[in-house]
Amino acid sequence: MGLTVAQKILKEHLVDGDLFSGDEIGIKIDQTLTQDATGTMADLQFEQMGVDRVKTEVSVSYIDHKTIQMGFEDADDHTYLQTFAKKYGLYLSKAGNGICHQVHIERVGAPGKTLLGSDSHTPTGGGIGMIAIGAGGLDVASAMAGMPFYLPRPKILGVHLTGKLNPWVSAKDVILKLLQILSTKGNVGWIVEYFGKGVKTLTVPERGTITNMGAELGVTTSVFPSDEETKRFLEAQGRGEQWAPLEADPDANYDRIIEINLSELEPMIAQPHNPDNVVTVREVEGTPVDQVMIGSCTNSSYKDGKTVAEIVKGRTVHPNVSCGYAPGSKQVLRMLADEGELSHIIAAGFRVLESACGFCIGAGQAPRNNAISIRTNNRNFYGRSGTVTAKIYLVSPETAAACALTGVITDPRDLESKFGINYPKVDIPEKFTIDDSLLLPPAAPEEAKTIELYKGPNIVDPPSGDPMPKDLEGQVAGKFGDKITTDDIMPAGDLLKYRSNVPKYAEYVFVKRDPTFASRCLENKKKGVWNIIVGGDNYGQGSSREHAALCPMYLGVKAVIAKAIERIHRANLINFGIIPLTFKNPDDYEKIDQGDEIKIEGIRKALIDGTGEVVLKDVTKGIEIPLEYHLTERERKTILAGGK
Ligand code: F3S
C-alpha cells in the first residue's frame, strides 16, 4: 500500500510502535524549538536531566514572546536562555530576530525532518514538508535529551486542493474555510495532509500560514509535500542543498478526504470568540472597526507585509482606526525597509511594531473597551488581546488592510471595484536577504564546560509531583464551562514574567475566571486534601503552555474531570501527574459542583490494571458518577509516579 507524506516521514523516524496498529507511536526528533515563554522552564527541566549537550540535529531557543522586557524578570530569563543555549548546544535566536515559526521556516526547517516545539503553532513547519508538532516544554526538553516523542497513532485527513486562489483571496482564507468545515472540536489524533494540483499554486510562506492555523483544528499537525515550490523557497533562502522531494504515493490511503477548490473560495472571517466561528467577510461587512493589527506567526511573511504595503501605498488609514504592523522576522523587516515598502506602511499611518509576538499574546496593543479589533493572528479567545470586552475578528492581511483604509469590515475585493486599487500580486523574491547575525551558535563542547549559567532571582527550580495515592480523596476546587483555554487556566500577558517561578505564577491559576481558586487550592493542600478541577468540552484548548498543568500540580490538583480534554493539555497533565478523566455520561457534568467532597477509591490499582474506568463518589451529594480514562501503559506509569 502506498504511503502519504506524513506516513513516510513518520516511518523514517519510528522508534516504537506500529504506524498501522496500536494506540501510540514513538518517533525520533531531529529538531526542537522553544520560545521564551515556555523555554526557560523547558531548559530548567533539561538541566535536571543531567545531560551535558542536546542530542538533536539542531535545537533553537527563540526569544520572541516577551521582548518588551517590562521588568528585570524577562531580561533575566533571556540572559539565562542565552547562557543555557551556549552551554548545552542550542542556537539562540535573539530578541529582534523574529517570531520562532517565521524564522524557523526561513532559516532552519527542512523537508522530511521532524520538529518538536514548545509552542502550539510549531506545525507551521509543515509548510516546508516537516512533521512539526507542538508539545509541552517537558516533552521538548526530553527530545533535546534524545528521548523519543510519543503521539497517538495518527489518522490521515487528506485535503485535496484544486483550482487557484483568486485575487484578494489568500492562504488565510483557506484555513479559515477548513476551520468552518471541521471546527476546533473533535479532530484530536488526526494529521492533516494537503495534496492535489492546487498545492503547487501556493508558495511555502502561504503553506506555512495554512499549517500554522491548522493548530486551531486541534489536530496533531498539518503537512504539505516538498516539491519544486519548496525547492524554489529554499534556494531563495540560500539553503537549496537542504531540499529533498517528498510526495504521497499515487495509491496513498487517506482515512478521510475533504475537497477544497481554491478558485471557489472568498474572503473569510472568524468572529469572536473562537477561531471556528467563521463566516464570509460579506456577511459581516459594514461593521465599524476600532483597531487593525497585522502580523503574528500566521501572517507576517515578506509576501504578507509587501501585499499590505502595496494596498495602502499612497493612502491613509481611516481616522477612527488604530493600526499596527509587526513584521515576522528581521529578514522581513529589513527587506521591506530596503525595498521602500515599509515607508508605504508608515506613511499610511500604521505604527511599526517589533518583529515579535507582541499583540498576538496580549503584550501591548490592548484595544479599547468594547472595541472591534481586526487581526491577522490565529486566536481570538475571550480576553487574549488584554481587553476582556473587546471583540476580535481574524482575517487575512488583505482583509485587514481593507478594514484599515475604510474603517469598517470590508471585503477586500471591494477595494478594486470601489476604490480602484489593483490586487498586488506578490511572489517570493528570487533571493531573500540573508543575515543570521542574531542567530547565535552554541559554544564548542570544550568551551561549553566553562560557561556559567546566569540565573536571576525570579528563576526558581521546577517543583516535582507526588505519586498517585491509593484512593483519591479531595474537593472540587473549581468547576468551569466549555472551551476553557490554557490562557483561562494560566493567563499570559504581564504575568508571563513569572513563568520561571512556579510558586509565584501558581497564585494566578484561573485568576480571570475565579480569583479565589488558587488560595482555596493551597488551603486544601495544607490540609492534605487533593484538588479536583471539573471542566466541560474542549478543556485546555489553545496554547501548549505547560504551566497550565505545572502550576495546578503545584497547587495540589490531582485530577481533571471534563467532557473532553484537548490534546496538548492532556499530555501536559499526564507529564505533571494529573489524571485526565472524562465523564462516561457527559450529562453527569451537571450533577457535580464546586466545593463537593469527592472520593475515587482504588484509583492507583485501577491505573496499574489499566481498567479504563473508575467511579467517583460525590460524598457531599451521596451519588456515584462513572468516569473513563484513555491512557497508554506508558502514560499510566507516568501518572502513578507523580509525573514525568
Ligand atoms: Fe507568537 Fe502568537 Fe504565534 S504568541 S508564536 S505570534 S500564536
Side-chain angles (χ1 to χ4, degrees), residues 19 140 216 231 269 295 309 330 339 343 469 478 520 635 643-644:
L19 264 189
V140 177
E216 272 47 71
K231 187 177 179 189
I269 187 165
K330 180 183 170 200
E339 293 173 12
S343 176
R520 195 159 53 241
E635 291 170 334
K644 193 167 181 174

Side-chain angles (χ1 to χ4, degrees), residues 409-427:
I409 294 181
T410 302
D411 186 318
R413 292 172 295 185
D414 290 350
L415 291 180
E416 193 151 329
S417 54
K418 294 189 185 154
F419 298 87
I421 303 175
N422 291 326
Y423 183 62
K425 180 82 190 99
V426 178
D427 195 6

Side-chain angles (χ1 to χ4, degrees), residues 263-525:
S263 312
E264 288 172 1
L265 288 183
E266 55 180 305
M268 309 295 285
I269 187 165
Q271 306 174 96
H273 294 283
N274 217 56
D276 64 1
N277 189 11
V278 175
V279 294
T280 61
V281 176
R282 278 274 181 258
E283 289 172 72
V284 288
E285 66 187 348
T287 309
V289 167
D290 303 286
Q291 187 192 55
V292 169
M293 287 291 143
I294 299 177
S296 92
C297 60
T298 322
N299 275 124
S300 58
S301 67
Y302 167 82
K303 176 195 186 312
D304 289 332
K306 187 164 172 177
T307 301
V308 170
E310 289 293 316
I311 292 172
V312 303
K313 183 173 167 180
R315 297 176 174 81
T316 309
V317 301
H318 191 277
N320 294 350
V321 188
S322 168
C323 298
Y325 167 63
S329 66
K330 180 183 170 200
Q331 182 181 75
V332 171
L333 176 59
R334 188 169 159 192
M335 288 179 68
L336 295 182
D338 288 349
E339 293 173 12
E341 299 291 348
L342 197 61
S343 176
H344 303 319
I345 294 177
I346 296 167
F350 278 81
R351 283 170 294 136
V352 178
L353 310 169
E354 273 192 90
S355 296
C357 297
F359 70 84
C360 176
I361 199 173
Q365 318 313 322
R368 72 157 171 80
N369 265 307
N370 300 308
I372 301 282
S373 176
I374 305 293
R375 298 177 167 214
T376 63
N377 57 308
N378 45 38
R379 288 186 175 146
N380 56 348
F381 299 139
Y382 176 80
R384 182 177 164 102
S385 66
T387 305
V388 285
T389 56
K391 297 184 182 67
I392 312 299
Y393 290 74
L394 308 175
V395 299
S396 69
E398 288 84 347
T399 302
C403 299
L405 292 177
T406 61
V408 293
I409 294 181
T410 302
D411 186 318
R413 292 172 295 185
D414 290 350
L415 291 180
E416 193 151 329
S417 54
K418 294 189 185 154
F419 298 87
I421 303 175
N422 291 326
Y423 183 62
K425 180 82 190 99
V426 178
D427 195 6
I428 62 167
E430 223 168 89
K431 280 271 171 269
F432 287 96
T433 302
I434 294 155
D435 168 8
D436 289 331
S437 55
L438 291 184
L439 199 55
L440 311 181
E446 272 315 301
E447 188 202 340
K449 286 183 195 148
T450 65
I451 293 168
E452 293 275 318
L453 292 177
Y454 172 87
K455 283 190 188 167
N458 188 47
I459 297 180
V460 175
D461 280 346
S464 52
D466 297 305
M468 182 59 78
K470 183 166 156 281
D471 305 313
L472 184 60
E473 294 184 55
Q475 189 194 53
V476 178
K479 182 178 177 182
F480 305 93
D482 290 342
K483 296 189 172 177
I484 288 292
T485 67
T486 48
D487 200 62
D488 291 320
I489 305 168
M490 205 61 267
D494 191 37
L495 293 175
L496 262 185
K497 64 179 177 228
Y498 297 130
R499 67 194 158 241
S500 327
N501 185 346
V502 170
K504 184 74 192 160
Y505 202 9
E507 291 172 18
Y508 298 94
V509 174
F510 277 117
V511 71
K512 286 197 295 189
R513 298 267 170 173
D514 176 0
T516 57
F517 178 85
S519 53
R520 195 159 53 241
C521 285
L522 283 172
E523 262 174 48
N524 281 339
K525 188 180 169 184

Side-chain angles (χ1 to χ4, degrees), residues 468 558-562 565 569-571 573-574 577-582 607 628-631 635 639:
M468 182 59 78
K558 206 60 182 159
V560 168
I561 305 168
I565 302 173
H569 187 59
R570 175 190 169 280
L573 290 173
I574 295 165
I578 299 174
I579 182 167
L581 293 162
T582 48
L607 277 170
E628 294 179 329
Y629 61 84
H630 300 277
L631 298 163
E635 291 170 334
I639 294 172

Side-chain angles (χ1 to χ4, degrees), residues 541-564:
Q541 67 176 10
S543 78
S544 67
R545 196 169 305 157
E546 71 177 349
H547 290 84
L550 174 54
C551 291
M553 178 194 84
Y554 177 78
L555 295 178
V557 173
K558 206 60 182 159
V560 168
I561 305 168
K563 291 183 189 169

